[in-house]
């Protein structure tokens, strides 16, 4: 009886950890390409609105999806 309970609890814990792992991995890391080459004005606007962005090696500007509404307010 104890072995079945321990195995059941362990399996439940593993499943819960996997679910939270997949949910955590899928949030906050999604970026979308905004432009091929940002201007200095775009960068200053992104900084002033505290928008999370990154510039990749090819010079393209990428914005975090969670900041999409901020981008629409400041930069359109």
């Amino acid at each position: 009886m104890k072995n079945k309970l321990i195995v059941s609890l362990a399996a439940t814990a593993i499943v819960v950890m996997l679910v939270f792992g997949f949910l955590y991995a899928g949030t906050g890391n999604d970026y979308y390409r905004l432009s091929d080459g940002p201007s200095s004005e775009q960068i200053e606007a992104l900084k002033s609105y505290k928008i999370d962005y990154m510039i990749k090696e090819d010079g393209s500007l990428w914005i975090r999806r969670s900041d999409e509404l901020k981008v629409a307010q400041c930069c359109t």
Side-chain angles (χ1 to χ4, degrees):
M1 180 74 175
K2 278 188 174 181
N3 287 341
K4 287 184 180 180
L5 180 62
I6 291 173
V7 169
S8 176
L9 288 175
T12 302
I14 290 171
V15 168
V16 168
M17 288 178 5
L18 288 174
V19 168
F20 280 116
F22 282 118
L23 290 176
Y24 178 74
T27 59
N29 293 329
D30 296 332
Y31 285 81
Y32 69 95
R33 186 181 207 142
L34 185 65
S35 69
D36 290 332
S39 65
S40 58
E41 292 85 16
Q42 280 181 316
I43 298 300
E44 290 303 317
L46 295 174
K47 286 180 183 177
S48 67
Y49 279 85
K50 298 178 182 169
I51 296 172
D52 187 16
Y53 70 92
M54 68 177 169
I55 299 175
K56 291 199 174 181
E57 292 177 10
D58 64 354
S60 60
L61 176 64
W62 293 74
I63 305 294
R64 186 181 298 271
R65 289 200 186 279
S66 61
D67 288 338
E68 199 166 13
L69 183 58
K70 290 180 187 177
V71 172
Q73 290 173 344
C74 86
C75 307
T76 55

